[in-house]
Amino acid sequence: MKAIVQDRYGPPETLTLTDVPVPAPRPDEVLVRVEAASLNAYDWHAMRGDPLIARLAMGPTRPRARIRGRDVAGRVEAVGADVRRVRPGDAVFADLGDANGAFAEYACAPEALVAPRPANLTPQQAAALPLAGVTALVGLRDAGRVQPGQRVLVNGASGGVGTLAVQLAKALGATVTGVCRTRNVDLVRSLGADHVVDYTRADFTRGPHRHDMVLDLVGNRSLTALRRALTPAGTLVLSGGGVWRGGSVVGPVRLIVRGRLIAPLVRHRVVVLATTPGRQHLDALREYAEAGHLTPVVDRTYPLREVPEAIRYLEGEHARAKVVITV
């Protein structure tokens, strides 16, 4: 099969389209014939081994996972002996986690990471959901504890996670403010945002409005500034991200570490977002999608052979919403 393989950290040029064997599913695994995959900030972090501190988990000198990509949608080709919930031919989607492997014609995943695909979404739309959708869902519902009638601000509302977060916050009953650049104002408003702040013209951390919850998906503001945007009892949820700026030792981890340190010392709830792949969250996303509350926005699609170009587009801060790979 064809797959995007990487044997050393570096720029998109280190990714190559290569013939590799079709993986054989273990007893608890599902073999998926990939129809679409999507990109996340995670992918360029893993590709470059950036920030350097992340290599402690990804591999100190080269990537442990040779085939890139986490988000996948496709059809079940075969199942292991212990698999019970899915069958060959089922339409599914999954976040493969740190094992990666989505940028290929076939991918294996533990059954626990695979869920039925939303019936009303295309494979490309479904592939856009797993990692970004779970990040938005857990950030708002679980970490943020959003309640109907609350005021929620999403910093980075036009990105892959942000476009889903705006829709989910509305589905949870919140009044939503999205922060984005000028060219994305109409997009964010079309997703249901009640208010949109163009950060090139106004600083949401110094405006008159306060919010019950701020979901920060960018990491471009200090903790002091972000907390200024909160009500006295508000919640700040921090999630990594960013764009490629030439390499770093700790990158967005710096803000996250500071958040953990100050959390016990301030009146606001400061939560560092952590998510794990799993069917439970994917099932919830499917329910929101099939109820008409959640529709992934796809910015561009690329064929498998053009994954390097797709990542170059993503990491340069040009992308909005999701970038999808078709297989």
Side-chain angles (χ1 to χ4, degrees):
M1 70 171 186
K2 299 291 186 182
I4 296 294
V5 172
Q6 182 182 27
D7 291 312
R8 63 183 177 87
Y9 292 121
E13 289 74 21
T14 60
L15 304 177
T16 58
L17 183 65
T18 306
D19 287 307
V20 299
V22 175
R26 296 174 180 174
D28 66 337
E29 288 185 336
V30 174
L31 177 66
V32 178
R33 176 168 53 82
V34 179
E35 295 177 283
S38 74
L39 301 184
N40 298 282
Y42 169 92
D43 296 308
W44 71 257
H45 281 294
M47 176 188 72
R48 292 186 178 272
D50 180 79
L52 292 177
I53 194 172
R55 298 189 185 189
L56 296 174
M58 295 185 295
T61 58
R62 62 181 182 178
R64 290 193 178 97
R66 294 185 70 224
I67 301 176
R68 296 266 64 83
R70 287 182 58 155
D71 287 350
V72 64
R75 290 196 176 270
V76 176
E77 184 77 9
V79 300
D82 297 336
V83 172
R84 297 291 181 266
R85 292 185 175 180
V86 297
R87 300 176 181 178
D90 286 354
V92 297
F93 71 136
D95 174 359
L96 305 181
D98 292 337
N100 284 247
F103 300 157
E105 293 177 323
Y106 294 89
C108 272
E111 182 186 18
L113 303 185
V114 175
R117 199 162 77 204
N120 59 334
L121 298 187
T122 66
Q124 292 76 24
Q125 290 173 316
L129 266 182
L131 180 55
V134 170
T135 301
L137 179 69
V138 174
L140 293 165
R141 185 192 64 183
D142 302 341
R145 303 174 187 172
V146 172
Q147 299 297 314
Q150 288 189 325
R151 291 163 293 178
V152 171
L153 181 140
V154 180
N155 185 28
S158 62
V161 178
T163 50
L164 299 172
V166 169
Q167 297 176 71
L168 286 170
K170 289 298 296 180
L172 291 169
T175 298
V176 182
T177 296
V179 181
C180 61
R181 65 171 60 186
T182 307
R183 74 183 182 103
N184 296 326
V185 167
D186 290 341
L187 167 65
V188 173
R189 187 173 289 118
S190 74
L191 297 173
D194 300 282
H195 311 284
V196 182
V197 177
D198 178 353
Y199 68 77
T200 68
R201 300 181 179 181
D203 183 351
F204 72 89
T205 70
R206 295 189 177 278
H209 303 293
R210 297 294 176 264
H211 304 84
D212 300 294
M213 187 254 180
V214 170
L215 177 61
D216 179 47
L217 303 170
V218 185
N220 63 348
R221 304 282 182 170
S222 69
L223 290 172
T224 300
L226 290 169
R227 289 174 53 225
R228 277 201 304 265
L230 290 171
T231 60
T235 297
L236 171 63
V237 177
L238 302 171
S239 180
V243 295
W244 170 247
R245 300 194 189 282
S248 63
V249 176
V250 295
V253 176
R254 179 183 293 108
L255 184 67
I256 289 171
V257 170
R258 289 175 179 171
R260 290 189 187 278
L261 291 175
I262 73 160
L265 307 175
V266 297
R267 61 182 178 177
H268 295 123
R269 284 185 67 240
V270 179
V271 183
V272 174
L273 185 59
T275 64
T276 55
R279 177 170 175 151
Q280 177 183 1
H281 295 317
L282 296 180
D283 285 340
L285 292 173
R286 183 181 70 253
E287 292 173 4
Y288 279 113
E290 291 181 345
H293 299 308
L294 187 62
T295 303
V297 178
V298 177
D299 177 13
R300 289 189 182 185
T301 61
Y302 292 81
L304 182 63
R305 66 179 182 277
E306 294 182 10
V307 165
E309 182 59 33
I311 292 185
R312 189 176 294 109
Y313 174 71
L314 177 70
E315 69 176 356
E317 203 175 6
H318 301 296
R320 59 180 183 173
K322 293 292 292 186
V323 177
V324 171
I325 305 301
T326 57
V327 181

